[in-house]
Amino acid sequence: MSSFALTPKLGSRISDSDGFLGTVLYIGPVASAKNQSEVYAGIEWDDDTRGKHDGSVISRADKSIVRHFKCESSSATAGSFVKSSKLNLGIDFCTTLAERYVTVDAPLLAPGNKFEGCVAMTKKGRSKQIEFYGEKKIREYQQVDKITKVALRGAGVSHAGDDTERISEYAGHLTEVDLQGNMLHEWEEVGKIINQLGSLEMLHLNANRLGNPTPLPKSFQDSISLTGGYKNLKRLVLNSTNMSSWTPLGGFTSVFPNLEELYVASNDFSDILTSTSSTSLKATGFPCLRLLDVSGCKLTSWSQVKCFSDLPRLESLVMNENDVEGIEKVEGEEFKNLMVLQISGNKMKGWEGVDNLNSFKKLKNLRFGNSPITAVMGGSEARAVIIARVSAVNYLNGSPVTSKERLEAEKMYVRRVARELTMAQSTVGDENTTPNDEKNEEKKREVIARHPMFEELAKKHAASMMPVGEGGGGASSLSNDTINVTIHSMAAASCTVEPMSKRLPSSLGIGRLKQMCKRAFKLDIDLQILQFKADKDSMLQPLDDDNNSLGYFGVCDGAQIFMNEIDVKAKAREAEIKRKQEKEAKERMIEQEEGAKMMTKAQQMQIDKEREGVKAATKR
């Protein structure tokens, strides 16, 4: 172990005997300690239930509250004091590599396929030699001389070591190094490691609390000449590295000129547009970058996302779990090569943003979900609507969009919008007056404005679709507004009952349909789940709103409707699990409140004591 690892300093990462990780925020004596000359390290634990306080203690001398450091988390139990002699500050890169991997000439653990001195007892009390076969074959994957990829996850790596040239000799041929979840906390140490890995193409540094590299470390500045691993690096993973600004990444554009994939998820880049980085990003960019992951980076507007629009080769943008409320149309050369967009878990307020995806020239793969606009829909319904509204997408949420699925989705969408048009126009005027043509046109324009793909899709499928809600009265109108359906029961008690064929008005409500199923299949309405298929090859779609009609859901002539039964026991189990989770959360909250009350009481005692001292001094 190098001398570096024996010297704790502010910001150092440490671990305890149980594997918990923390950060040193204070070094010095502690007011509550028996020995005031002994040096302690104030630790904020990553797991905020690991500690005992928030960095403040009650003085042993006068019972006052003394704050030695302040925890970043709001938890009152994230902090601890540990004697400096008991700190584990990690080990260097090469030592860790030697512990996990071996050289070609390393001795075998089981020479002759036998573990020396290792036996197992049989039923009859005899000893049986333990044999180990295949060690040489396994060793092929452990010999650092023969492999090009190594994983040192959670191995306690905290620094490069004193002899950095040893890294080049021992591991200079490696092309991929995974250092996820280690104890690295200084960019300068990362630079020393990279600089000795001349063949490095992929580096994983996620879950190391490195923070912002500002100013850019000297080890990085000295390597701008593109020596070592900098010139070959193609993938850099910096997820959850405690960065709080995009600005430093602007400096990486010249350091890693051939970078193709950059993962910086779960950091805080809310400063984009307020920092100088947004300008430098558009001016120089990452010239070879094809994939950028900014998931969970506290982005709140599309204006921030547009800062990435001029990256010349960007093909995949991952921005899940942010707070972006809409997507704007792209113009000119913006996102000109973007083919993959992942935008699940954002706060989309309307479908206009989804419609604007049609302006992306090369977009083919979309991930979209966990959004307010789809929260009221079933999964299959939301998928169908998105497919219909975004014409060029070939993959949605990881699944291919087949030509048949697109055909069904577009027809369903056309029926739904046509029904919306009919309902909107029927609200103009009243029963005793002729509807106002001008108001009808205005309502129609409003609906079509909300559904820009409707007219194109209606024209595309006009020949194969039955008119919805058209025409005047008489037999012809009635015929066009009724559909033939077959209703099947999939419930255990009635699955053998013959399906029933019905001719129903498309305006029939789902609630009324459930009443029909109750009479035919003897299943209570509250236990029914209804779904339908347009034909035998199509996917099931939910009928999950009792207040809407068959026509609203796009149930067409010849459709199959299926009635399933809710699993009451499974629902009860889910409710019980939820109840237990709520109870545990409440107990934790009570415990934290009691801790806070004790701290407040101690603070008040200190204030009262100070007031008494002031009064006594005044009397004197």
Side-chain angles (χ1 to χ4, degrees):
M1 186 179 294
S2 69
S3 59
F4 175 94
L6 300 177
T7 308
K9 49 187 176 182
L10 295 181
S12 293
R13 296 286 284 163
I14 66 100
S15 67
D16 65 6
S17 57
D18 295 322
F20 288 91
L21 295 174
T23 304
V24 178
L25 297 183
Y26 170 80
I27 298 174
V30 177
S32 62
K34 290 181 181 180
N35 184 355
Q36 291 294 302
S37 63
E38 190 162 17
V39 176
Y40 286 81
I43 310 299
E44 179 178 9
W45 299 101
D46 294 356
D47 181 345
D48 59 14
T49 64
R50 177 63 176 166
K52 297 179 179 179
H53 50 72
D54 64 351
S56 59
V57 296
I58 297 176
S59 171
R60 181 176 287 271
D62 58 6
K63 306 303 180 185
S64 62
I65 295 174
V66 178
R67 178 171 293 283
H68 291 293
F69 66 93
K70 183 176 177 60
C71 292
E72 292 182 7
S73 69
S74 57
S75 173
T77 59
S80 289
F81 288 104
V82 181
K83 291 181 179 180
S84 297
S85 59
K86 294 184 178 180
L87 290 177
N88 176 9
L89 290 163
I91 53 181
D92 65 85
F93 176 78
C94 271
T95 301
T96 309
L97 192 62
E99 290 177 353
R100 292 285 183 96
Y101 296 88
V102 297
T103 56
V104 175
D105 56 353
L108 295 174
L109 296 176
N113 298 326
K114 294 181 180 180
F115 281 116
E116 295 296 329
C118 296
V119 296
M121 303 305 294
T122 66
K123 267 186 164 184
K124 295 182 179 180
R126 298 174 184 173
S127 62
K128 183 76 173 177
Q129 175 73 48
I130 295 178
E131 299 181 355
F132 179 32
Y133 288 89
E135 183 179 7
K136 290 184 178 179
K137 187 69 175 176
I138 294 172
R139 277 293 174 93
E140 292 179 6
Y141 300 99
Q142 290 183 302
Q143 292 169 350
V144 73
D145 314 69
K146 293 186 176 182
I147 58 178
T148 58
K149 301 177 182 179
V150 297
L152 302 174
R153 292 189 175 189
V157 178
S158 61
H159 58 288
D162 292 332
D163 185 7
T164 55
E165 292 183 3
R166 183 183 168 209
I167 298 175
S168 178
E169 295 170 2
Y170 190 50
H173 64 287
L174 295 177
T175 60
E176 181 173 353
V177 175
D178 187 345
L179 289 170
Q180 176 180 335
N182 277 281
M183 298 164 63
L184 291 164
H185 62 280
E186 292 185 331
W187 283 99
E188 187 170 353
E189 294 301 311
V190 174
K192 290 176 182 178
I193 293 172
I194 300 177
N195 207 32
Q196 297 299 320
L197 299 174
S199 301
L200 190 65
E201 296 179 3
M202 302 178 188
L203 178 63
H204 298 248
L205 293 170
N206 36 322
N208 286 277
R209 292 177 68 86
L210 290 162
N212 296 326
T214 50
L216 212 58
K218 189 175 186 301
S219 61
F220 275 26
Q221 294 174 356
D222 293 344
S223 302
I224 297 299
S225 60
L226 308 183
T227 59
Y230 296 89
K231 61 181 179 181
N232 296 318
L233 198 68
K234 294 180 179 178
R235 178 194 295 169
L236 179 60
V237 183
L238 298 174
N239 299 339
S240 302
T241 49
N242 204 36
M243 296 179 69
S244 59
S245 175
W246 176 264
T247 305
L249 294 180
F252 283 180
T253 59
S254 55
V255 177
F256 304 118
N258 297 312
L259 196 66
E260 295 181 3
E261 298 179 15
L262 176 61
Y263 301 83
V264 287
S266 300
N267 289 291
D268 184 356
F269 296 144
S270 55
D271 72 330
I272 293 180
L273 289 184
T274 61
S275 68
T276 57
S277 60
S278 58
T279 304
S280 62
L281 177 67
K282 285 199 171 190
T284 59
F286 292 86
C288 299
L289 196 68
R290 298 181 184 276
L291 185 151
L292 175 63
D293 185 351
V294 287
S295 297
C297 288
K298 300 184 180 180
L299 304 180
T300 57
S301 72
W302 187 256
S303 298
Q304 292 175 308
V305 180
K306 282 182 72 173
C307 288
F308 312 125
S309 65
D310 288 346
L311 291 172
R313 296 190 182 180
L314 188 65
E315 296 175 355
S316 299
L317 177 60
V318 184
M319 46 174 291
N320 300 321
E321 306 304 327
N322 281 290
D323 296 324
V324 176
E325 297 180 349
I327 302 169
E328 298 175 8
K329 287 184 178 180
V330 297
E331 300 176 352
E333 297 294 298
E334 293 177 344
F335 293 115
K336 63 180 180 180
N337 289 313
L338 193 70
M339 294 187 287
V340 181
L341 177 62
Q342 297 189 27
I343 196 165
S344 292
N346 279 269
K347 297 182 177 180
M348 295 295 165
K349 287 188 172 181
W351 286 100
E352 181 183 359
V354 177
D355 296 326
N356 287 339
L357 291 174
N358 288 299
S359 64
F360 288 72
K361 299 174 183 177
K362 294 187 178 181
L363 186 64
K364 299 295 180 184
N365 191 326
L366 176 66
R367 188 170 289 276
F368 187 100
N370 191 22
S371 173
I373 59 175
T374 57
V376 296
M377 298 179 172
S380 58
E381 180 188 5
R383 179 179 174 86
V385 172
I386 293 170
I387 289 171
R389 299 185 86 126
V390 188
S391 60
V393 167
N394 294 333
Y395 276 81
L396 178 60
N397 295 336
S399 299
V401 178
T402 64
S403 55
K404 186 169 184 62
E405 183 183 17
R406 176 165 292 283
L407 180 66
E408 289 175 18
E410 289 177 353
K411 286 184 176 182
M412 182 212 72
Y413 180 67
V414 169
R415 291 190 188 96
R416 178 173 293 191
V417 179
R419 175 64 58 179
E420 187 178 341
L421 276 168
T422 303
M423 293 174 68
Q425 293 179 32
S426 66
T427 60
V428 180
D430 56 42
E431 295 178 355
N432 301 317
T433 62
T434 303
N436 186 289
D437 290 340
E438 186 176 334
K439 288 185 177 180
N440 270 332
E441 284 300 316
E442 183 180 348
K443 287 285 185 180
K444 181 179 178 181
R445 285 194 296 270
E446 289 175 0
V447 172
I448 291 176
R450 292 196 299 270
H451 303 279
M453 290 296 295
F454 171 69
E455 291 183 322
E456 179 183 334
L457 295 178
K459 185 177 180 180
K460 176 181 176 181
H461 301 293
S464 60
M465 293 184 65
M466 180 182 71
V468 181
E470 288 185 359
S476 175
S477 176
L478 181 63
S479 173
N480 283 339
D481 207 29
T482 58
I483 53 176
N484 294 303
V485 298
T486 304
I487 306 173
H488 305 260
S489 173
M490 309 301 290
S494 57
C495 60
T496 57
V497 176
E498 285 292 318
M500 59 177 180
S501 297
K502 292 286 185 181
R503 187 166 181 80
L504 304 172
S506 61
S507 59
L508 182 74
I510 303 304
R512 290 279 304 278
L513 178 61
K514 286 186 174 181
Q515 292 174 357
M516 291 173 58
C517 291
K518 178 182 178 181
R519 290 193 295 269
F521 303 120
K522 313 302 181 189
L523 182 65
D524 287 344
I525 291 174
D526 293 340
L527 299 178
Q528 293 180 28
I529 300 175
L530 297 184
Q531 297 170 301
F532 83 97
K533 295 173 76 172
D535 55 56
K536 65 178 183 178
D537 297 323
S538 63
M539 61 182 180
L540 280 170
Q541 298 186 45
L543 300 170
D544 52 5
D545 187 345
D546 291 0
N547 297 319
N548 275 317
S549 64
L550 294 172
Y552 175 83
F553 287 103
V555 180
C556 56
D557 195 57
Q560 305 280 318
I561 296 176
F562 299 89
M563 183 199 74
N564 272 302
E565 183 176 5
I566 293 173
D567 188 339
V568 179
K569 291 183 179 179
K571 205 169 183 180
R573 286 195 298 270
E574 289 175 4
E576 179 63 18
I577 291 170
K578 185 177 181 182
R579 186 190 66 77
K580 287 182 179 179
Q581 290 174 340
E582 289 175 349
K583 183 181 178 182
E584 290 172 359
K586 187 175 180 181
E587 289 174 351
R588 284 197 300 271
M589 186 176 293
I590 291 172
E591 185 178 344
Q592 291 176 359
E593 287 176 352
E594 288 177 351
K597 286 179 181 178
M598 290 178 64
M599 184 63 71
T600 302
K601 186 176 179 180
Q603 290 174 339
Q604 187 60 48
M605 289 174 63
Q606 173 66 16
I607 293 170
D608 293 342
K609 185 177 179 180
E610 291 175 356
R611 286 176 178 172
E612 290 175 3
V614 171
K615 288 181 180 178
T618 303
K619 288 180 180 179
R620 288 197 298 269

